[in-house]
Amino acid sequence: MALINLASHIIGCKGRMQILKGIYQVGGDLNGLTFDEPGAMWNDANSYVVDTGQGLLMFDCGCGDTMDQIFRNMEYWNLSPDDIQYCILTHPHYDHAGGAHILKNQGVRLVAIGETADAVSRGDERCCGYLYHKKFTPVEVGRIVEDGERISLLGLEMKVMHLPGHSMGCTAFLFDWEGRRIVVSGDVIGTMGIGDFGWDGSIDFDKNIYIESLRKFARVDTDIMLPGHGMIYFHQPRRRVEEVLNSALMQWR
């Protein structure tokens, strides 16, 4: 019953989704919210917006070529792109951070862990532009955070959890909302039905480090997991993390 009641919060219209009151998914090509190129999948990761009441926080911003679509999806919910104060990057890959320079140019402050900040500032192969046959536009991150740090942005308290492996910059962000523990997990976990792990073609992909990150993540209880691609987990996300850890241990040792 709790799952049914929670699922009733999801409201979709023409590819726009409200996840909970004040939390929205505004981008993501696997969900059909954004569209980059014909036949392309994975070009545009999930982008989320949180309306804190003091301004908007964005998590990841897509490849950049769909920014106008993301803005239109926001405007459907009466969210002004001009009210985005921060964009938090889960890692430096093009499909998650390619649009960061656009936001920076309109005054949005970028937040990321040091490994991600270094990669996007250089726009090098760690950003994986080669996978999309595009060039990553380098951009400087204004605020660098650390593993285990508790940060406050626009009144929202968050914990930073560095989970490298898919890339060395992979980071999850945890916060409480409406009595639920939310985690924005990036590509640490694959969406059910499309693989357990983040893509393994990254220049800095590392199986052994990835396993240790999954072990760390599998100790954490959350209520809702907002992944980097595909479906959102509304029921015991920790079980999914444990499944992925088990899969990694069987395949990679």
Side-chain angles (χ1 to χ4, degrees):
M1 182 62 70
L3 180 60
I4 294 173
N5 290 339
L6 183 56
S8 69
H9 284 285
I10 307 172
I11 305 171
C13 180
K14 296 182 180 179
R16 309 166 178 97
M17 291 198 295
Q18 178 174 294
I19 299 163
L20 294 173
K21 292 177 181 178
I23 301 181
Y24 306 83
Q25 183 177 349
V26 296
D29 56 8
L30 287 186
N31 305 90
L33 275 73
T34 48
F35 177 85
D36 183 26
E37 296 180 354
M41 296 176 66
W42 314 97
N43 276 32
D44 223 28
N46 293 351
S47 296
Y48 303 99
V49 167
V50 179
D51 185 354
T52 69
Q54 299 180 31
L56 303 180
L57 293 175
M58 177 177 277
F59 290 91
D60 286 339
C61 53
C63 66
D65 293 332
T66 61
M67 193 63 73
D68 58 336
Q69 299 172 43
I70 289 173
F71 286 171
R72 285 198 300 271
N73 289 340
M74 291 176 60
E75 289 164 353
Y76 176 82
W77 293 106
N78 296 317
L79 302 172
S80 173
D82 295 334
D83 292 335
I84 304 171
Q85 302 297 312
Y86 294 93
C87 180
I88 301 168
L89 303 177
T90 64
H91 61 295
H93 288 174
Y94 191 95
D95 53 328
H96 293 259
H101 69 284
I102 299 173
L103 296 178
K104 180 75 177 285
N105 288 340
Q106 71 175 43
V108 176
R109 288 162 282 186
L110 303 179
V111 180
I113 207 156
E115 287 83 352
T116 291
D118 183 67
V120 300
S121 72
R122 300 172 188 270
D124 60 23
E125 289 178 326
R126 291 172 293 174
C127 299
C128 299
Y130 60 86
L131 179 64
Y132 307 95
H133 312 294
K134 297 181 181 182
K135 183 178 179 181
F136 190 96
T137 301
V139 62
E140 295 291 330
V141 170
R143 179 164 180 179
I144 297 175
V145 296
E146 297 180 355
D147 182 41
E149 184 178 354
R150 296 183 183 275
I151 62 174
S152 179
L153 299 176
L154 304 178
L156 184 65
E157 304 288 334
M158 283 180 283
K159 182 177 180 180
V160 180
M161 180 178 289
H162 190 201
L163 298 169
H166 166 66
S167 82
M168 289 301 103
C170 276
T171 316
F173 295 87
L174 300 98
F175 60 93
D176 294 322
W177 193 267
E178 293 189 334
R180 300 178 179 92
R181 189 66 166 160
I182 314 296
V183 60
V184 182
S185 58
D187 285 356
V188 178
I189 300 296
T191 300
M192 194 77 76
I194 54 174
D196 290 333
F197 318 113
W199 171 66
D200 61 5
S202 307
I203 291 294
D204 53 355
F205 178 89
D206 189 295
K207 291 180 179 179
N208 293 327
I209 292 175
Y210 206 153
I211 286 174
E212 291 307 309
S213 291
L214 291 171
R215 290 180 65 189
K216 178 180 177 180
F217 198 15
R219 301 184 189 110
V220 178
D221 279 316
T222 57
D223 298 301
I224 300 175
M225 181 164 60
L226 308 181
H229 296 273
M231 61 182 277
I232 295 166
Y233 291 85
F234 286 91
H235 183 64
Q236 297 182 341
R238 182 174 176 176
R239 295 176 65 92
R240 174 61 178 156
V241 180
E242 290 171 340
E243 290 173 354
V244 175
L245 171 60
N246 183 52
S247 181
L249 291 172
M250 290 190 297
Q251 293 183 46
W252 293 349
R253 288 196 305 178

